[in-house]
Amino acid sequence: MIKLKRDFKKVIAGVAAFCGMGVLTSCYGCPMTDESVFPVSGTVMGASEKSVSGISVVSGIKVTLMRDGKEIASTETDDSGDYYMEFFYNELEEAEYQLVFEDIDGEENGTYKTKVQTVNADGKKYIRLDVQLD
């Protein structure tokens, strides 16, 4: 009888642990891997009289990802002129998107015209777009 009670407790503990893992997974999802995310990134450059090549990176540019005229997400370029946005694969549909590059800091890092670039997410694992502003 004691052995039966001990075995029954083990079975109950195993079922409870299994159910607990199911609840945690359904509430918080499975762990994400590098392949679960869809990055959108690039570098923004502009003409510069200070640079030897005549081109330099531009910080302070607002980068907005849009679809059908609606903003999906936005970020700002850092001191290296880089921008980065990250999405889960199920957040972005395989479709055409627009990346809008807008100078929001006035004359602080130079004055640049807004630029719109169309990108396509069909069958891709990431979008990398480097742009030069006028």
Short mmCIF file of all heavy atoms in Angstrom, two decimals, residues 47-119:
data_model
loop_
_atom_site.label_atom_id
_atom_site.label_comp_id
_atom_site.label_asym_id
_atom_site.label_seq_id
_atom_site.Cartn_x
_atom_site.Cartn_y
_atom_site.Cartn_z
N ALA A 47 25.87 63.85 -48.15
CA ALA A 47 27.01 64.61 -48.66
C ALA A 47 27.60 65.46 -47.53
O ALA A 47 26.88 66.00 -46.71
CB ALA A 47 26.56 65.50 -49.80
N SER A 48 28.93 65.54 -47.50
CA SER A 48 29.58 66.31 -46.45
C SER A 48 30.85 66.94 -46.99
O SER A 48 31.66 66.28 -47.63
CB SER A 48 29.92 65.40 -45.27
OG SER A 48 30.73 66.09 -44.35
N GLU A 49 31.01 68.21 -46.69
CA GLU A 49 32.24 68.90 -47.08
C GLU A 49 33.38 68.53 -46.14
O GLU A 49 34.55 68.67 -46.48
CB GLU A 49 32.01 70.41 -47.07
CG GLU A 49 30.98 70.85 -48.09
CD GLU A 49 30.62 72.32 -47.94
OE1 GLU A 49 31.22 73.00 -47.09
OE2 GLU A 49 29.74 72.76 -48.66
N LYS A 50 33.06 68.02 -44.93
CA LYS A 50 34.07 67.66 -43.94
C LYS A 50 34.74 66.34 -44.26
O LYS A 50 35.83 66.08 -43.79
CB LYS A 50 33.42 67.56 -42.56
CG LYS A 50 32.79 68.85 -42.09
CD LYS A 50 32.09 68.63 -40.77
CE LYS A 50 31.29 69.86 -40.36
NZ LYS A 50 30.51 69.61 -39.17
N SER A 51 34.10 65.51 -45.03
CA SER A 51 34.63 64.18 -45.32
C SER A 51 35.54 64.20 -46.54
O SER A 51 35.28 64.92 -47.50
CB SER A 51 33.46 63.22 -45.57
OG SER A 51 33.92 61.99 -46.05
N VAL A 52 36.59 63.39 -46.50
CA VAL A 52 37.52 63.29 -47.63
C VAL A 52 36.80 62.75 -48.86
O VAL A 52 36.99 63.23 -49.98
CB VAL A 52 38.72 62.38 -47.27
CG1 VAL A 52 39.62 62.18 -48.47
CG2 VAL A 52 39.48 62.97 -46.10
N SER A 53 35.92 61.75 -48.66
CA SER A 53 35.21 61.13 -49.79
C SER A 53 34.01 61.96 -50.23
O SER A 53 33.41 61.69 -51.27
CB SER A 53 34.75 59.73 -49.42
OG SER A 53 33.79 59.80 -48.38
N GLY A 54 33.64 62.96 -49.43
CA GLY A 54 32.46 63.77 -49.76
C GLY A 54 31.17 63.16 -49.24
O GLY A 54 30.10 63.70 -49.43
N ILE A 55 31.27 62.01 -48.59
CA ILE A 55 30.10 61.33 -48.04
C ILE A 55 30.38 60.99 -46.58
O ILE A 55 31.47 60.54 -46.24
CB ILE A 55 29.79 60.03 -48.81
CG1 ILE A 55 29.44 60.36 -50.25
CG2 ILE A 55 28.66 59.25 -48.16
CD1 ILE A 55 29.24 59.15 -51.13
N SER A 56 29.41 61.23 -45.72
CA SER A 56 29.58 60.88 -44.31
C SER A 56 28.28 60.26 -43.79
O SER A 56 27.23 60.40 -44.41
CB SER A 56 29.94 62.11 -43.48
OG SER A 56 28.88 63.03 -43.50
N VAL A 57 28.36 59.59 -42.64
CA VAL A 57 27.16 59.02 -42.05
C VAL A 57 26.36 60.13 -41.39
O VAL A 57 26.90 61.17 -41.03
CB VAL A 57 27.51 57.91 -41.02
CG1 VAL A 57 28.16 56.74 -41.72
CG2 VAL A 57 28.37 58.44 -39.91
N VAL A 58 25.04 59.91 -41.27
CA VAL A 58 24.17 60.96 -40.76
C VAL A 58 23.38 60.42 -39.56
O VAL A 58 22.66 59.43 -39.67
CB VAL A 58 23.17 61.43 -41.84
CG1 VAL A 58 22.30 62.55 -41.30
CG2 VAL A 58 23.89 61.87 -43.09
N SER A 59 23.55 61.06 -38.41
CA SER A 59 22.74 60.71 -37.24
C SER A 59 21.55 61.66 -37.18
O SER A 59 21.48 62.66 -37.88
CB SER A 59 23.58 60.81 -35.97
OG SER A 59 24.04 62.13 -35.80
N GLY A 60 20.58 61.32 -36.34
CA GLY A 60 19.40 62.18 -36.17
C GLY A 60 18.40 62.10 -37.30
O GLY A 60 17.64 63.04 -37.52
N ILE A 61 18.37 60.99 -38.01
CA ILE A 61 17.39 60.79 -39.08
C ILE A 61 16.33 59.82 -38.56
O ILE A 61 16.66 58.75 -38.04
CB ILE A 61 18.05 60.21 -40.35
CG1 ILE A 61 19.11 61.15 -40.89
CG2 ILE A 61 17.01 59.86 -41.41
CD1 ILE A 61 18.58 62.48 -41.41
N LYS A 62 15.07 60.20 -38.68
CA LYS A 62 13.98 59.31 -38.28
C LYS A 62 13.73 58.35 -39.45
O LYS A 62 13.53 58.78 -40.58
CB LYS A 62 12.71 60.09 -37.97
CG LYS A 62 11.55 59.22 -37.54
CD LYS A 62 10.31 60.04 -37.23
CE LYS A 62 9.16 59.13 -36.84
NZ LYS A 62 7.92 59.89 -36.64
N VAL A 63 13.72 57.04 -39.14
CA VAL A 63 13.47 56.01 -40.14
C VAL A 63 12.16 55.34 -39.76
O VAL A 63 12.01 54.81 -38.66
CB VAL A 63 14.61 54.97 -40.17
CG1 VAL A 63 14.34 53.94 -41.26
CG2 VAL A 63 15.95 55.65 -40.39
N THR A 64 11.19 55.41 -40.67
CA THR A 64 9.85 54.87 -40.41
C THR A 64 9.53 53.78 -41.42
O THR A 64 9.68 53.98 -42.62
CB THR A 64 8.79 55.99 -40.51
OG1 THR A 64 9.17 57.06 -39.65
CG2 THR A 64 7.42 55.48 -40.10
N LEU A 65 9.08 52.63 -40.92
CA LEU A 65 8.61 51.55 -41.77
C LEU A 65 7.11 51.69 -41.90
O LEU A 65 6.39 51.74 -40.90
CB LEU A 65 8.96 50.18 -41.16
CG LEU A 65 8.55 48.97 -41.99
CD1 LEU A 65 9.39 48.88 -43.27
CD2 LEU A 65 8.70 47.69 -41.17
N MET A 66 6.63 51.78 -43.16
CA MET A 66 5.20 52.01 -43.41
C MET A 66 4.66 50.98 -44.40
O MET A 66 5.40 50.46 -45.22
CB MET A 66 4.98 53.42 -43.95
CG MET A 66 5.47 54.50 -43.02
SD MET A 66 5.02 56.15 -43.55
CE MET A 66 3.30 56.17 -43.13
N ARG A 67 3.37 50.76 -44.30
CA ARG A 67 2.67 49.92 -45.28
C ARG A 67 1.29 50.51 -45.49
O ARG A 67 0.56 50.76 -44.53
CB ARG A 67 2.55 48.48 -44.80
CG ARG A 67 1.80 47.63 -45.81
CD ARG A 67 2.01 46.17 -45.59
NE ARG A 67 1.29 45.45 -46.62
CZ ARG A 67 0.50 44.43 -46.40
NH1 ARG A 67 0.36 43.96 -45.18
NH2 ARG A 67 -0.12 43.84 -47.38
N ASP A 68 0.96 50.74 -46.74
CA ASP A 68 -0.34 51.31 -47.10
C ASP A 68 -0.62 52.60 -46.35
O ASP A 68 -1.74 52.85 -45.89
CB ASP A 68 -1.47 50.31 -46.86
CG ASP A 68 -1.32 49.04 -47.69
OD1 ASP A 68 -0.78 49.13 -48.81
OD2 ASP A 68 -1.74 47.96 -47.22
N GLY A 69 0.41 53.43 -46.18
CA GLY A 69 0.24 54.73 -45.54
C GLY A 69 0.16 54.70 -44.02
O GLY A 69 -0.04 55.72 -43.39
N LYS A 70 0.31 53.52 -43.42
CA LYS A 70 0.24 53.40 -41.96
C LYS A 70 1.63 53.07 -41.40
O LYS A 70 2.33 52.23 -41.93
CB LYS A 70 -0.73 52.29 -41.56
CG LYS A 70 -2.16 52.62 -41.94
CD LYS A 70 -3.10 51.51 -41.53
CE LYS A 70 -4.51 51.85 -41.99
NZ LYS A 70 -5.42 50.74 -41.80
N GLU A 71 1.97 53.75 -40.31
CA GLU A 71 3.26 53.52 -39.67
C GLU A 71 3.26 52.18 -38.93
O GLU A 71 2.37 51.90 -38.13
CB GLU A 71 3.57 54.65 -38.68
CG GLU A 71 4.90 54.48 -37.99
CD GLU A 71 5.26 55.64 -37.07
OE1 GLU A 71 5.00 56.81 -37.44
OE2 GLU A 71 5.81 55.36 -36.00
N ILE A 72 4.25 51.36 -39.22
CA ILE A 72 4.42 50.08 -38.54
C ILE A 72 5.35 50.26 -37.34
O ILE A 72 5.07 49.79 -36.25
CB ILE A 72 5.02 49.02 -39.50
CG1 ILE A 72 4.22 48.89 -40.79
CG2 ILE A 72 5.19 47.68 -38.79
CD1 ILE A 72 2.83 48.36 -40.64
N ALA A 73 6.47 50.94 -37.57
CA ALA A 73 7.45 51.19 -36.51
C ALA A 73 8.39 52.29 -36.97
O ALA A 73 8.48 52.59 -38.17
CB ALA A 73 8.25 49.92 -36.22
N SER A 74 9.10 52.88 -36.01
CA SER A 74 10.10 53.89 -36.38
C SER A 74 11.25 53.85 -35.39
O SER A 74 11.12 53.35 -34.27
CB SER A 74 9.49 55.29 -36.44
OG SER A 74 9.10 55.70 -35.16
N THR A 75 12.37 54.38 -35.82
CA THR A 75 13.56 54.48 -34.99
C THR A 75 14.35 55.67 -35.48
O THR A 75 13.93 56.36 -36.41
CB THR A 75 14.40 53.17 -35.07
OG1 THR A 75 15.44 53.24 -34.10
CG2 THR A 75 14.98 52.95 -36.45
N GLU A 76 15.49 55.92 -34.87
CA GLU A 76 16.34 57.03 -35.26
C GLU A 76 17.76 56.52 -35.51
O GLU A 76 18.20 55.59 -34.83
CB GLU A 76 16.36 58.05 -34.12
CG GLU A 76 16.43 59.47 -34.58
CD GLU A 76 16.29 60.43 -33.41
OE1 GLU A 76 15.19 60.52 -32.85
OE2 GLU A 76 17.31 61.07 -33.07
N THR A 77 18.46 57.12 -36.45
CA THR A 77 19.84 56.71 -36.69
C THR A 77 20.72 57.12 -35.50
O THR A 77 20.51 58.16 -34.89
CB THR A 77 20.41 57.32 -37.98
OG1 THR A 77 20.29 58.74 -37.93
CG2 THR A 77 19.68 56.80 -39.21
N ASP A 78 21.72 56.28 -35.22
CA ASP A 78 22.64 56.57 -34.12
C ASP A 78 23.81 57.41 -34.63
O ASP A 78 23.80 57.88 -35.77
CB ASP A 78 23.11 55.28 -33.46
CG ASP A 78 23.87 54.35 -34.40
OD1 ASP A 78 24.32 54.79 -35.48
OD2 ASP A 78 24.02 53.17 -34.06
N ASP A 79 24.82 57.59 -33.80
CA ASP A 79 25.99 58.41 -34.17
C ASP A 79 26.76 57.85 -35.35
O ASP A 79 27.53 58.56 -35.99
CB ASP A 79 26.92 58.58 -32.97
CG ASP A 79 26.32 59.46 -31.89
OD1 ASP A 79 25.39 60.23 -32.20
OD2 ASP A 79 26.76 59.35 -30.73
N SER A 80 26.59 56.56 -35.64
CA SER A 80 27.27 55.92 -36.78
C SER A 80 26.40 55.94 -38.04
O SER A 80 26.78 55.37 -39.05
CB SER A 80 27.61 54.47 -36.44
OG SER A 80 28.44 54.42 -35.32
N GLY A 81 25.21 56.57 -37.95
CA GLY A 81 24.30 56.61 -39.09
C GLY A 81 23.52 55.32 -39.27
O GLY A 81 22.81 55.16 -40.27
N ASP A 82 23.62 54.40 -38.31
CA ASP A 82 22.94 53.11 -38.43
C ASP A 82 21.55 53.16 -37.83
O ASP A 82 21.31 53.86 -36.84
CB ASP A 82 23.74 52.02 -37.72
CG ASP A 82 25.11 51.79 -38.35
OD1 ASP A 82 25.22 51.91 -39.58
OD2 ASP A 82 26.07 51.51 -37.61
N TYR A 83 20.64 52.38 -38.40
CA TYR A 83 19.31 52.20 -37.84
C TYR A 83 19.03 50.70 -37.77
O TYR A 83 19.60 49.91 -38.51
CB TYR A 83 18.24 52.93 -38.65
CG TYR A 83 18.02 52.38 -40.04
CD1 TYR A 83 17.06 51.42 -40.30
CD2 TYR A 83 18.79 52.84 -41.11
CE1 TYR A 83 16.86 50.92 -41.59
CE2 TYR A 83 18.61 52.36 -42.39
CZ TYR A 83 17.64 51.40 -42.63
OH TYR A 83 17.46 50.91 -43.89
N TYR A 84 18.15 50.32 -36.83
CA TYR A 84 17.84 48.91 -36.64
C TYR A 84 16.46 48.78 -36.04
O TYR A 84 16.14 49.43 -35.05
CB TYR A 84 18.87 48.25 -35.72
CG TYR A 84 18.69 46.76 -35.57
CD1 TYR A 84 19.25 45.89 -36.48
CD2 TYR A 84 17.96 46.23 -34.51
CE1 TYR A 84 19.09 44.51 -36.35
CE2 TYR A 84 17.79 44.87 -34.37
CZ TYR A 84 18.36 44.01 -35.29
OH TYR A 84 18.19 42.66 -35.18
N MET A 85 15.64 47.94 -36.66
CA MET A 85 14.33 47.58 -36.13
C MET A 85 14.23 46.07 -36.20
O MET A 85 14.75 45.46 -37.13
CB MET A 85 13.19 48.20 -36.95
CG MET A 85 13.12 49.70 -36.90
SD MET A 85 11.77 50.34 -37.90
CE MET A 85 12.69 50.95 -39.31
N GLU A 86 13.55 45.47 -35.24
CA GLU A 86 13.46 44.01 -35.22
C GLU A 86 12.01 43.60 -35.01
O GLU A 86 11.32 44.16 -34.17
CB GLU A 86 14.34 43.49 -34.08
CG GLU A 86 14.50 42.01 -34.04
CD GLU A 86 15.51 41.60 -32.99
OE1 GLU A 86 15.13 41.49 -31.81
OE2 GLU A 86 16.68 41.41 -33.36
N PHE A 87 11.57 42.62 -35.79
CA PHE A 87 10.20 42.14 -35.71
C PHE A 87 10.21 40.62 -35.62
O PHE A 87 11.14 39.97 -36.10
CB PHE A 87 9.42 42.53 -36.98
CG PHE A 87 9.44 44.00 -37.25
CD1 PHE A 87 10.42 44.55 -38.07
CD2 PHE A 87 8.52 44.84 -36.67
CE1 PHE A 87 10.46 45.91 -38.31
CE2 PHE A 87 8.55 46.20 -36.91
CZ PHE A 87 9.53 46.74 -37.73
N PHE A 88 9.17 40.06 -35.04
CA PHE A 88 8.99 38.61 -35.13
C PHE A 88 8.46 38.33 -36.52
O PHE A 88 7.78 39.16 -37.13
CB PHE A 88 8.01 38.11 -34.08
CG PHE A 88 8.53 38.26 -32.68
CD1 PHE A 88 7.91 39.08 -31.76
CD2 PHE A 88 9.67 37.58 -32.29
CE1 PHE A 88 8.40 39.21 -30.48
CE2 PHE A 88 10.17 37.72 -31.00
CZ PHE A 88 9.54 38.53 -30.10
N TYR A 89 8.77 37.15 -37.07
CA TYR A 89 8.36 36.83 -38.44
C TYR A 89 6.86 36.98 -38.65
O TYR A 89 6.42 37.40 -39.70
CB TYR A 89 8.81 35.42 -38.83
CG TYR A 89 10.19 35.42 -39.41
CD1 TYR A 89 11.25 34.86 -38.73
CD2 TYR A 89 10.46 36.01 -40.64
CE1 TYR A 89 12.53 34.87 -39.26
CE2 TYR A 89 11.73 36.03 -41.17
CZ TYR A 89 12.76 35.45 -40.48
OH TYR A 89 14.01 35.47 -41.00
N ASN A 90 6.06 36.66 -37.64
CA ASN A 90 4.62 36.75 -37.83
C ASN A 90 4.09 38.19 -37.76
O ASN A 90 2.93 38.43 -38.01
CB ASN A 90 3.88 35.87 -36.83
CG ASN A 90 4.16 36.25 -35.39
OD1 ASN A 90 4.99 37.10 -35.11
ND2 ASN A 90 3.48 35.61 -34.47
N GLU A 91 4.94 39.16 -37.43
CA GLU A 91 4.51 40.56 -37.36
C GLU A 91 4.48 41.24 -38.72
O GLU A 91 3.72 42.18 -38.93
CB GLU A 91 5.42 41.36 -36.43
CG GLU A 91 5.25 41.03 -34.97
CD GLU A 91 6.15 41.89 -34.11
OE1 GLU A 91 7.37 41.70 -34.15
OE2 GLU A 91 5.59 42.75 -33.39
N LEU A 92 5.35 40.81 -39.63
CA LEU A 92 5.40 41.42 -40.96
C LEU A 92 4.91 40.43 -42.00
O LEU A 92 5.39 39.30 -42.05
CB LEU A 92 6.83 41.85 -41.31
CG LEU A 92 7.43 43.00 -40.53
CD1 LEU A 92 8.83 43.30 -41.04
CD2 LEU A 92 6.57 44.22 -40.59
N GLU A 93 3.99 40.88 -42.82
CA GLU A 93 3.52 40.04 -43.91
C GLU A 93 4.50 40.13 -45.07
O GLU A 93 5.25 41.09 -45.19
CB GLU A 93 2.15 40.53 -44.37
CG GLU A 93 1.08 40.42 -43.30
CD GLU A 93 -0.25 41.00 -43.77
OE1 GLU A 93 -0.50 41.01 -44.99
OE2 GLU A 93 -1.01 41.44 -42.92
N GLU A 94 4.45 39.13 -45.93
CA GLU A 94 5.25 39.19 -47.15
C GLU A 94 4.55 40.19 -48.08
O GLU A 94 3.54 39.86 -48.68
CB GLU A 94 5.37 37.81 -47.79
CG GLU A 94 6.22 36.87 -46.97
CD GLU A 94 6.56 35.59 -47.70
OE1 GLU A 94 6.14 35.42 -48.86
OE2 GLU A 94 7.24 34.76 -47.10
N ALA A 95 5.09 41.39 -48.13
CA ALA A 95 4.45 42.47 -48.88
C ALA A 95 5.46 43.57 -49.16
O ALA A 95 6.63 43.49 -48.78
CB ALA A 95 3.28 43.03 -48.08
N GLU A 96 4.98 44.62 -49.82
CA GLU A 96 5.79 45.80 -50.09
C GLU A 96 5.63 46.80 -48.94
O GLU A 96 4.53 47.04 -48.47
CB GLU A 96 5.31 46.45 -51.39
CG GLU A 96 6.40 46.61 -52.38
CD GLU A 96 5.92 47.21 -53.69
OE1 GLU A 96 5.14 48.18 -53.69
OE2 GLU A 96 6.35 46.68 -54.72
N TYR A 97 6.75 47.36 -48.51
CA TYR A 97 6.76 48.35 -47.45
C TYR A 97 7.53 49.58 -47.94
O TYR A 97 8.29 49.50 -48.90
CB TYR A 97 7.45 47.80 -46.20
CG TYR A 97 6.69 46.68 -45.54
CD1 TYR A 97 6.87 45.36 -45.95
CD2 TYR A 97 5.78 46.94 -44.53
CE1 TYR A 97 6.16 44.33 -45.36
CE2 TYR A 97 5.07 45.92 -43.93
CZ TYR A 97 5.27 44.61 -44.34
OH TYR A 97 4.57 43.59 -43.76
N GLN A 98 7.35 50.69 -47.25
CA GLN A 98 8.11 51.90 -47.54
C GLN A 98 8.95 52.23 -46.31
O GLN A 98 8.46 52.19 -45.19
CB GLN A 98 7.19 53.09 -47.87
CG GLN A 98 6.41 52.96 -49.15
CD GLN A 98 5.28 51.97 -49.05
OE1 GLN A 98 4.56 51.94 -48.07
NE2 GLN A 98 5.13 51.12 -50.07
N LEU A 99 10.21 52.56 -46.55
CA LEU A 99 11.06 53.10 -45.51
C LEU A 99 11.19 54.59 -45.78
O LEU A 99 11.60 54.99 -46.87
CB LEU A 99 12.44 52.43 -45.54
CG LEU A 99 12.53 51.09 -44.83
CD1 LEU A 99 13.85 50.40 -45.14
CD2 LEU A 99 12.37 51.24 -43.33
N VAL A 100 10.79 55.39 -44.81
CA VAL A 100 10.81 56.85 -44.94
C VAL A 100 11.95 57.38 -44.08
O VAL A 100 12.03 57.09 -42.88
CB VAL A 100 9.47 57.47 -44.50
CG1 VAL A 100 9.51 58.98 -44.64
CG2 VAL A 100 8.31 56.87 -45.30
N PHE A 101 12.86 58.14 -44.70
CA PHE A 101 14.01 58.72 -44.02
C PHE A 101 13.77 60.22 -43.92
O PHE A 101 13.72 60.91 -44.93
CB PHE A 101 15.29 58.41 -44.80
CG PHE A 101 15.53 56.93 -44.94
CD1 PHE A 101 14.99 56.23 -46.01
CD2 PHE A 101 16.28 56.25 -44.01
CE1 PHE A 101 15.20 54.86 -46.15
CE2 PHE A 101 16.50 54.88 -44.13
CZ PHE A 101 15.96 54.19 -45.20
N GLU A 102 13.65 60.72 -42.69
CA GLU A 102 13.26 62.12 -42.48
C GLU A 102 14.22 62.80 -41.51
O GLU A 102 14.48 62.29 -40.41
CB GLU A 102 11.84 62.13 -41.90
CG GLU A 102 11.29 63.47 -41.60
CD GLU A 102 9.90 63.37 -40.97
OE1 GLU A 102 9.44 62.29 -40.62
OE2 GLU A 102 9.28 64.44 -40.81
N ASP A 103 14.75 63.95 -41.92
CA ASP A 103 15.66 64.74 -41.09
C ASP A 103 14.83 65.43 -40.01
O ASP A 103 14.00 66.29 -40.32
CB ASP A 103 16.39 65.76 -41.95
CG ASP A 103 17.45 66.53 -41.19
OD1 ASP A 103 17.59 66.32 -39.97
OD2 ASP A 103 18.14 67.34 -41.82
N ILE A 104 15.04 65.05 -38.75
CA ILE A 104 14.23 65.62 -37.68
C ILE A 104 15.02 66.51 -36.73
O ILE A 104 14.46 67.09 -35.81
CB ILE A 104 13.51 64.52 -36.86
CG1 ILE A 104 14.52 63.56 -36.26
CG2 ILE A 104 12.48 63.81 -37.69
CD1 ILE A 104 13.93 62.58 -35.27
N ASP A 105 16.34 66.62 -36.94
CA ASP A 105 17.13 67.43 -36.01
C ASP A 105 17.52 68.79 -36.58
O ASP A 105 18.41 69.46 -36.06
CB ASP A 105 18.38 66.66 -35.54
CG ASP A 105 19.37 66.41 -36.65
OD1 ASP A 105 19.12 66.84 -37.80
OD2 ASP A 105 20.41 65.77 -36.39
N GLY A 106 16.86 69.20 -37.64
CA GLY A 106 17.13 70.51 -38.22
C GLY A 106 18.52 70.57 -38.82
O GLY A 106 18.96 69.65 -39.51
N GLU A 107 19.25 71.63 -38.54
CA GLU A 107 20.57 71.84 -39.13
C GLU A 107 21.70 71.23 -38.31
O GLU A 107 22.87 71.34 -38.68
CB GLU A 107 20.81 73.33 -39.31
CG GLU A 107 19.86 73.96 -40.30
CD GLU A 107 20.12 75.44 -40.49
OE1 GLU A 107 21.20 75.92 -40.09
OE2 GLU A 107 19.26 76.11 -41.05
N GLU A 108 21.37 70.57 -37.21
CA GLU A 108 22.40 70.04 -36.30
C GLU A 108 23.40 69.11 -37.01
O GLU A 108 24.60 69.21 -36.79
CB GLU A 108 21.73 69.28 -35.16
CG GLU A 108 22.71 68.82 -34.11
CD GLU A 108 22.01 68.16 -32.94
OE1 GLU A 108 20.87 68.54 -32.61
OE2 GLU A 108 22.61 67.24 -32.37
N ASN A 109 22.93 68.21 -37.84
CA ASN A 109 23.81 67.30 -38.58
C ASN A 109 23.71 67.52 -40.09
O ASN A 109 23.95 66.61 -40.87
CB ASN A 109 23.44 65.84 -38.25
CG ASN A 109 23.71 65.50 -36.81
OD1 ASN A 109 24.83 65.65 -36.34
ND2 ASN A 109 22.68 65.08 -36.10
N GLY A 110 23.33 68.69 -40.47
CA GLY A 110 23.10 68.99 -41.88
C GLY A 110 21.61 68.91 -42.17
O GLY A 110 20.84 68.35 -41.39
N THR A 111 21.21 69.50 -43.27
CA THR A 111 19.80 69.49 -43.65
C THR A 111 19.63 68.58 -44.85
O THR A 111 20.33 68.72 -45.86
CB THR A 111 19.32 70.92 -44.01
OG1 THR A 111 19.62 71.78 -42.90
CG2 THR A 111 17.85 70.96 -44.30
N TYR A 112 18.68 67.64 -44.75
CA TYR A 112 18.47 66.64 -45.80
C TYR A 112 17.00 66.55 -46.16
O TYR A 112 16.12 66.74 -45.32
CB TYR A 112 18.97 65.28 -45.34
CG TYR A 112 20.45 65.27 -45.03
CD1 TYR A 112 20.91 65.48 -43.73
CD2 TYR A 112 21.38 65.10 -46.04
CE1 TYR A 112 22.27 65.50 -43.46
CE2 TYR A 112 22.74 65.12 -45.77
CZ TYR A 112 23.17 65.32 -44.47
OH TYR A 112 24.52 65.35 -44.22
N LYS A 113 16.75 66.25 -47.42
CA LYS A 113 15.38 66.06 -47.91
C LYS A 113 14.88 64.69 -47.46
O LYS A 113 15.64 63.73 -47.38
CB LYS A 113 15.34 66.12 -49.44
CG LYS A 113 15.70 67.45 -50.02
CD LYS A 113 15.66 67.37 -51.52
CE LYS A 113 16.20 68.64 -52.15
NZ LYS A 113 16.29 68.53 -53.61
N THR A 114 13.58 64.61 -47.22
CA THR A 114 12.95 63.33 -46.89
C THR A 114 13.04 62.41 -48.10
O THR A 114 12.84 62.83 -49.23
CB THR A 114 11.48 63.54 -46.49
OG1 THR A 114 11.46 64.36 -45.31
CG2 THR A 114 10.78 62.22 -46.20
N LYS A 115 13.36 61.15 -47.83
CA LYS A 115 13.50 60.17 -48.91
C LYS A 115 12.64 58.95 -48.57
O LYS A 115 12.60 58.51 -47.43
CB LYS A 115 14.96 59.74 -49.04
CG LYS A 115 15.23 58.83 -50.22
CD LYS A 115 16.73 58.64 -50.41
CE LYS A 115 17.00 58.02 -51.75
NZ LYS A 115 18.41 58.09 -52.11
N VAL A 116 11.95 58.42 -49.59
CA VAL A 116 11.11 57.24 -49.43
C VAL A 116 11.66 56.14 -50.33
O VAL A 116 11.85 56.35 -51.53
CB VAL A 116 9.64 57.53 -49.78
CG1 VAL A 116 8.79 56.28 -49.63
CG2 VAL A 116 9.09 58.67 -48.94
N GLN A 117 11.93 54.97 -49.76
CA GLN A 117 12.41 53.82 -50.51
C GLN A 117 11.43 52.66 -50.32
O GLN A 117 11.02 52.38 -49.20
CB GLN A 117 13.78 53.37 -49.98
CG GLN A 117 14.90 54.34 -50.26
CD GLN A 117 15.37 54.26 -51.69
OE1 GLN A 117 15.20 55.21 -52.45
NE2 GLN A 117 15.97 53.16 -52.06
N THR A 118 11.08 52.00 -51.39
CA THR A 118 10.20 50.85 -51.32
C THR A 118 11.04 49.58 -51.17
O THR A 118 12.03 49.41 -51.87
CB THR A 118 9.32 50.75 -52.59
OG1 THR A 118 8.53 51.95 -52.67
CG2 THR A 118 8.39 49.55 -52.54
N VAL A 119 10.64 48.73 -50.23
CA VAL A 119 11.32 47.46 -50.01
C VAL A 119 10.27 46.35 -50.03
O VAL A 119 9.11 46.57 -49.75
CB VAL A 119 12.09 47.44 -48.67
CG1 VAL A 119 13.25 48.41 -48.71
CG2 VAL A 119 11.19 47.73 -47.50
#
